[in-house]
Each structure stands twice: as C-alpha cells, then as structure tokens.
Amino acid sequence: MARTGFDIVRSTDNRGGVDEFIPFEATMRAARSAGLSVGDYIDEVMNGTPGATRSTIEELAARGVFAAGPDTVLEIGPGSGRYLELTLKECAPGRYEIYETAQPWADHLVETFGVVARPVAGFSLAPTPDASVDLVLAHKVFNTLTFLGTSRYFLEMARVVRPGGRIVFDAMTETCLGPDTMRAWAAEGGTGHDSYPAALPRGTCVDLFASLGCELEGSFLAPMGVGTTEVLVFAKAT
C-alpha cells in the first residue's frame, strides 16, 4: 500500500528530462523528510507503487541476469539511480557507465556510487565502443520517448553489448494495454504529458533485436502508473 500523509514533489513541467519531472533538490528534501530512501520515496509516495523497483531487480536476478557477474554495465537514463543502486547490490562491475540528461542527478550518481557519466548527445551512445559492455539497462525510459528516439537507442544498445551479453529494458507493449488499462490511462493522463506514456509494439522490439543478433530470453510485467510496463531481456549471440 502506498504511504500517505507526505508531500508529493512533482514538477508541472513533465515534458522534459527527469530533472523537470523529478526535481533533484526538492525530491531529496522530501525523501529525507519522509524518512525514506530516494528510491523508496519515488516508488511509494510519488508513483504509488511501493516495492516496484526492488521487485523488478529481484525478478531480473531470479532470471540470471546478474549471475555471470557483468564487469561492465551501461544504464541509459538512470535518473534518481533507484535501479542503479539495487543493481550494484546484485553485481560488482568494474565499470558502470551512465547516460543521463539531468545534470544534478548525474552528478549525484557519480559522487554517490562512483559511476562514469558519459556525455549525452541526441540518442547516441557514441562514447562507448562497439561490443564493450556486458549488460545494458534502461528502466522506465522508453515509455517517455518518441518512436524514433527509442529506435535509435535500440540500435546503439545492440552495438555496444558484447557477444554473450544482455540487454534489459521495459516498454509499454500491447501486453500492457487492455481496454480497461487504456481507459485508466486516458482518465489519469490529463494534459501536458506529451509522449508519456508511449506505447511500442512488442513484435517490433523483438524483430529488430533479432535482426541485430539479440534473442529474447524472456519478459515479465512491472507496475507503472495506473498500468504496467513489460520488461524484456535479450541475449546477444556469441
């Protein structure tokens, strides 16, 4: 059950990056005031989905995503770092790269967790060499982007992952969009959300990655807003 009685910090300008949607200073203060970690505050108070981040990471662990002990991890759009923090508890990579557009959050993650912040330019992972990453992650990112932006990131993810490595991301596929859920989103969304939440055909994801040598290992649903998002796990052919 979501906690009540706490102030919910959320910018009215939610069309930009995470620093507009989840402002850094205000969110940090509110989490401290509530006696919660930033991740738990976002899950419980802001999103009303307590335990969502932890359950996603636990499910990935159960599916063996971290079992090989990835030495290099890359995360697109870590934002507050709530998935990053729990990922680091499941594995101990020698290098963890992030691509984050919100500078205050990026600086915080570098200082707190010792990750490497790469410069962001468009939808490119150009600073990261080909086939150099064991595990590529993106949580709650592609539900906020346009189709073309997502497509460009998908191509880049397949480029940087090593043979035998994994790619993990979530998308609002048709699996998540029954009639009742669509009605709930329509009622909840209001105005000003622009591309959020963005739907993406599941077959499109699977077919594109298959053409890039990445096979779908499995998927599961995770909470998001008034509905769900589908977490997909791909493995790059050796």
Side-chain angles (χ1 to χ4, degrees):
M1 181 179 296
R3 294 197 183 195
T4 58
F6 297 112
D7 291 335
I8 297 180
V9 175
R10 193 184 298 278
S11 172
T12 57
D13 178 9
N14 54 19
R15 294 168 294 177
V18 68
D19 196 43
E20 288 78 38
F21 194 45
I22 306 178
F24 175 73
E25 292 288 352
T27 303
M28 296 291 281
R29 287 195 302 270
R32 286 193 294 269
S33 177
L36 297 169
S37 69
V38 172
D40 286 343
Y41 175 81
I42 292 172
D43 277 353
E44 294 186 28
V45 181
M46 294 183 68
N47 294 339
T49 54
T53 300
R54 185 172 301 279
S55 65
T56 295
I57 296 300
E58 288 175 349
E59 181 66 26
L60 292 174
R63 290 170 179 265
V65 168
F66 309 112
D71 184 59
T72 305
V73 178
L74 183 155
E75 185 171 352
I76 300 169
S80 67
R82 66 189 192 273
Y83 291 94
L84 184 156
E85 181 176 9
L86 296 182
T87 296
L88 288 174
K89 292 180 179 180
E90 295 290 341
C91 60
R95 184 179 183 84
Y96 199 120
E97 299 183 9
I98 64 169
Y99 285 80
E100 175 52 59
T101 59
Q103 197 61 49
W105 284 115
D107 293 343
H108 169 70
L109 297 180
V110 169
E111 180 179 351
T112 304
F113 300 106
V115 298
V116 177
R118 293 290 205 176
V120 179
F123 303 101
S124 170
L125 306 177
T128 302
D130 295 357
S132 64
V133 179
D134 297 307
L135 176 60
V136 182
L137 303 168
H139 298 284
K140 301 298 192 295
V141 172
F142 302 127
N143 304 298
T144 68
L145 297 183
T146 63
F147 174 77
L148 287 179
T150 294
S151 299
R152 289 164 183 153
Y153 267 139
F154 283 175
L155 295 172
E156 285 286 83
M157 294 164 85
R159 176 184 67 79
V160 302
V161 73
R162 287 191 178 111
R166 284 188 171 92
I167 296 171
V168 175
F169 64 88
D170 65 287
M172 182 184 283
T173 67
E174 61 270 32
T175 307
C176 312
L177 291 172
D180 289 343
T181 302
M182 291 184 68
R183 291 188 187 95
W185 275 114
E188 174 76 13
T191 60
H193 280 246
D194 285 1
S195 64
Y196 175 82
L200 190 67
R202 189 179 196 274
T204 298
C205 299
V206 174
D207 291 348
L208 176 62
F209 278 101
S211 76
L212 298 168
C214 301
E215 180 182 0
L216 180 67
E217 284 193 332
S219 69
F220 59 92
L221 297 182
M224 187 181 77
V226 296
T228 59
T229 183
E230 185 174 9
V231 182
L232 299 105
V233 180
F234 291 89
K236 183 73 173 284
T238 56

